Amino acid sequence: MSEDLDALLLRLRDLPDDRAVAEADAFFRSLPVEQAIALTESRPEQVGPLEGAPPELRYRANHLILVAAQQRLHTLVENRQATLAQRRRLVTLNEMLEPAGKRLDVDADGNRVEVDVPRQFLLVDPEGQGRMIEVQGDLRTAKNIAVLVPGMNNDLERVRAQSVRAKEIGEEAGRGTATIVWLGYHAPLGLTQGRSTESARAAAPLLCRFQEGLATVRSPGAKVTLIGNSYGAQVVTRAMMQGARAHRYLLTGSPGVDPSVTSAAQLTPPGTEFFAVARSRGDYVSYAEQHGPDPASFTDAVRIQTDNEQVQITGHMAYFAKNSESMKNVGRIVRGELGAVTLAARTTPAEETRMLGMSWAGPLRTLGQSPVVVPISKAFDGLAMLRTVASTPSRKTVLDGTPRSRQQEGPER
């Protein structure tokens, strides 16, 4: 059985995404349930990230990966051999192993009991800056699925805010929605790395294969919305150019797309139902156009409204603010109420940043593309690292927060 898996993984390396996912799917469909579970538990590192493998098996595999990493780091901390980064990582793994909630089940005697519902991960990479893909909801029954690709400064320690954001997107979109946080890439950490497109280029083929795998899992009528926020918009646009499969696409606060792209029509793959962008007033990241033209300025792009009477969005950080028109539009797009999406006026960066008769968008763009910004970025990154070190929890705090052992709860049938 293990040899068959090795042979499969070898074959998948050079196959196009659709064929690779189809072969993985067929392999696991051919196995009896007991054998598939046994293979998962003996080879979690291979099954956990495998696109095309059943999500239930991948959840189980990644839970095992989390537990093993947690126990290893706990031993290091207990023996006073852990680095500061390892102490921080242990706190993160403890949080990731906390149950997502409770559900009713039936025990061996037929009694209804409450059991923990573990969080659902399609990928867990606990090494280095870390990666993860988390699912909230049921991929097999959801009518609508939102895939959120976050931007820079998201490592395993800081991605928790994205899980909260995904939950809120699901609530805004309504019943029948599943959400996914796709941190399946090494996001840039700091302004220095964020000035490069290297991370986005490496991420794009990974996102393409993930989307292909998602197509084998979702119900036939389910619609998928791919959302790229900030640097995540750079990832999504590069994946779109490589044919990433989704029904709807939304870019918020984009730092720019590839310089060769001059229209939304160049980005959207065949079969696209809806493509939209959001740029709020004062979004310095979009104005800087660090990585190319801002898609919100394309004449054929649908630009969604971000403001309403309740909430006025300014700057770069509030596209998903509760009760904002921006967030309401996110919900409308995800659940397919495309006719209800409200549109923004076609204003230019110069018009949006005019103060005392002058605009600051142009000078910002010039500064962002100037060599002088390199030492400034490095200085900011150094200060951020000092803050991270200063916030590291004590050894006792870390040990007090680590359970001695944790078994997977939930269904095995």
Side-chain angles (χ1 to χ4, degrees), residues 331-351:
R332 292 166 185 147
I333 293 169
V334 171
R335 67 175 173 265
E337 291 184 1
L338 306 182
V341 173
T342 57
L343 305 182
R346 288 197 171 278
T347 52
T348 66
E351 292 169 331

Side-chain angles (χ1 to χ4, degrees), residues 271-408:
T272 299
E273 288 184 3
F274 194 73
F275 171 77
V277 294
R279 182 182 71 208
S280 65
R281 289 173 295 106
D283 188 337
Y284 44 89
V285 171
S286 292
Y287 295 152
E289 295 190 338
Q290 182 70 59
H291 299 307
D294 175 15
S297 296
F298 293 160
T299 57
D300 61 341
V302 174
R303 183 176 168 191
I304 65 172
Q305 179 62 267
T306 57
D307 298 344
N308 57 28
E309 292 182 358
Q310 286 180 282
V311 181
Q312 302 290 305
I313 298 296
T314 57
H316 183 66
M317 306 298 288
Y319 288 103
F320 302 92
K322 215 161 191 176
N323 297 320
S324 68
E325 193 65 15
S326 178
M327 186 58 145
K328 290 180 184 295
N329 277 325
V330 170
R332 292 166 185 147
I333 293 169
V334 171
R335 67 175 173 265
E337 291 184 1
L338 306 182
V341 173
T342 57
L343 305 182
R346 288 197 171 278
T347 52
T348 66
E351 292 169 331
E352 293 166 21
T353 59
R354 190 166 297 281
M355 296 176 63
L356 301 177
M358 298 180 63
S359 166
W360 53 266
L364 175 67
R365 185 163 56 252
T366 301
L367 175 63
Q369 297 168 358
S370 166
V372 74
V373 81
V374 175
I376 297 174
S377 299
K378 290 181 177 179
F380 272 105
D381 293 346
L383 291 172
M385 179 58 69
L386 289 175
R387 287 197 299 271
T388 299
V389 171
S391 65
T392 302
S394 69
R395 173 178 172 273
K396 183 178 184 304
T397 299
V398 173
L399 290 175
D400 288 347
T402 306
R404 290 290 176 176
S405 63
R406 186 185 294 272
Q407 300 297 321
Q408 171 138 19

